Amino acid sequence: MSRALSQAVIPLVIVFHVARADAALVGLMLCALVWMLALFAMGHRLSRDPVDSLCFCYLNIGWFGLPVATSALGPEAVSLFTTFYVASSILGNALGPAWLLHHAPGTSGAGRPARANSLSGWLRHAWRTPALRALAVGLCLLPVGPWLGVHAAWLDEGARILLGMLGMMVLGAWLAHAPLGVAELRRAFKSFVLRAGLSLLVLALLWAVTSRIGRSPLQGQVAAMVLLSLLPPAANIVVLETEALRSGHSAARIASASVWSLGAIALYVAWLHVVA
């Protein structure tokens, strides 16, 4: 299921979303890329563990955030979450494996690991990922994007359904095997609070900057930005870690962070219904 997601379903969603992008979506995608890179820089500064850095910036937008946004916030929030998901998926699935391989034990020796440790090797590895190639295909299909939206919408819709179904199954499978201890929950709580606060700060700065230079693509999306900041790390991180490092330490971190995210999102959505 993980291979089907990374090799086919996720690239297909990226191709369709990029091919049908307009100026507003491009602006929103750029905001998403800046947001994720800022969180990555902060996460790397807080911890030199490459898995921690990835967990800090690569959030569960597609498999977890989109269903919640759909039911709680409506179509405008869905558009924001979908665009942020595509941007984060490109970075997470393209640069994530290269980042983990870059820090894999023994990468300073001779042979293939040494090439992977160099910048050129890192970039070559990233280019071989389906996510980055899907971005290139989507950009090439921009001229026929409207035609795809009319005649191939069924394919995009099917890919989105598969994304949710397979994604939640993979997430459940990993969480079933992740040990949850008190120490890990405490560690996850500190990371969750810090990530949520920093995420809101970055999004607020992006809103302020884009508002000064024109209509902000984040205009009227305060509730969605708060919900976005409460999400747990993406379950796909454990798949990337397994392939790159032959380990699965992120499973417990993702599971522990998901506990706090579920509680915070439940309270936040309940509060939204009360004030509405």
Side-chain angles (χ1 to χ4, degrees), residues 164-184:
M165 290 176 57
L166 294 178
M168 294 307 292
M169 291 168 72
V170 172
L171 174 61
W174 277 111
L175 293 184
H177 294 281
L180 289 180
V182 175
E184 190 66 44

Side-chain angles (χ1 to χ4, degrees), residues 242-265:
T242 302
E243 294 176 358
L245 303 181
R246 301 295 187 265
S247 62
H249 303 303
S250 59
R253 301 175 195 181
I254 293 168
S256 301
S258 297
V259 170
W260 300 113
S261 290
L262 283 168
I265 290 173

Side-chain angles (χ1 to χ4, degrees), residues 9 36 42 55 80 87-88 100 111 116 120 142-143 147 151 158 176 182 192 198 218 229-230 240 244 250:
V9 178
M36 188 175 179
M42 295 172 187
C55 287
L80 180 142
S88 67
L100 293 173
S120 60
L142 276 171
W147 183 90
H151 296 91
V182 175
F192 167 73
L198 291 174
L218 299 173
S229 301
L230 298 178
L240 303 179
S250 59

Side-chain angles (χ1 to χ4, degrees), residues 52-143:
D52 281 344
S53 301
L54 210 53
C55 287
F56 203 84
C57 69
Y58 187 13
L59 304 187
N60 199 336
I61 302 174
W63 303 350
F64 187 85
L66 266 173
V68 176
T70 301
S71 61
L73 301 179
E76 286 192 5
V78 170
S79 177
L80 180 142
F81 268 67
T82 303
T83 306
F84 267 64
Y85 164 72
V86 172
S88 67
S89 182
I90 292 169
L91 280 179
N93 288 286
L95 300 182
W99 171 252
L100 293 173
L101 185 61
H102 183 73
H103 290 81
T107 55
S108 59
R112 183 177 177 275
R115 291 196 298 271
N117 195 44
S118 68
L119 179 59
S120 60
W122 186 7
L123 293 176
R124 281 197 301 270
H125 183 82
W127 169 245
R128 288 195 296 266
T129 59
L132 206 57
R133 293 186 175 183
L135 172 63
V137 172
L139 292 174
C140 293
L141 293 177
L142 276 171

Side-chain angles (χ1 to χ4, degrees), residues 215-274:
R215 188 180 184 277
S216 173
L218 299 173
Q219 192 72 36
Q221 297 282 8
V222 175
M225 289 190 291
V226 174
L227 181 60
L228 187 70
S229 301
L230 298 178
L231 294 177
N236 195 45
I237 293 173
V238 76
V239 178
L240 303 179
E241 181 198 356
T242 302
E243 294 176 358
L245 303 181
R246 301 295 187 265
S247 62
H249 303 303
S250 59
R253 301 175 195 181
I254 293 168
S256 301
S258 297
V259 170
W260 300 113
S261 290
L262 283 168
I265 290 173
L267 291 174
Y268 179 62
V269 172
W271 179 79
L272 286 177
H273 283 293
V274 170

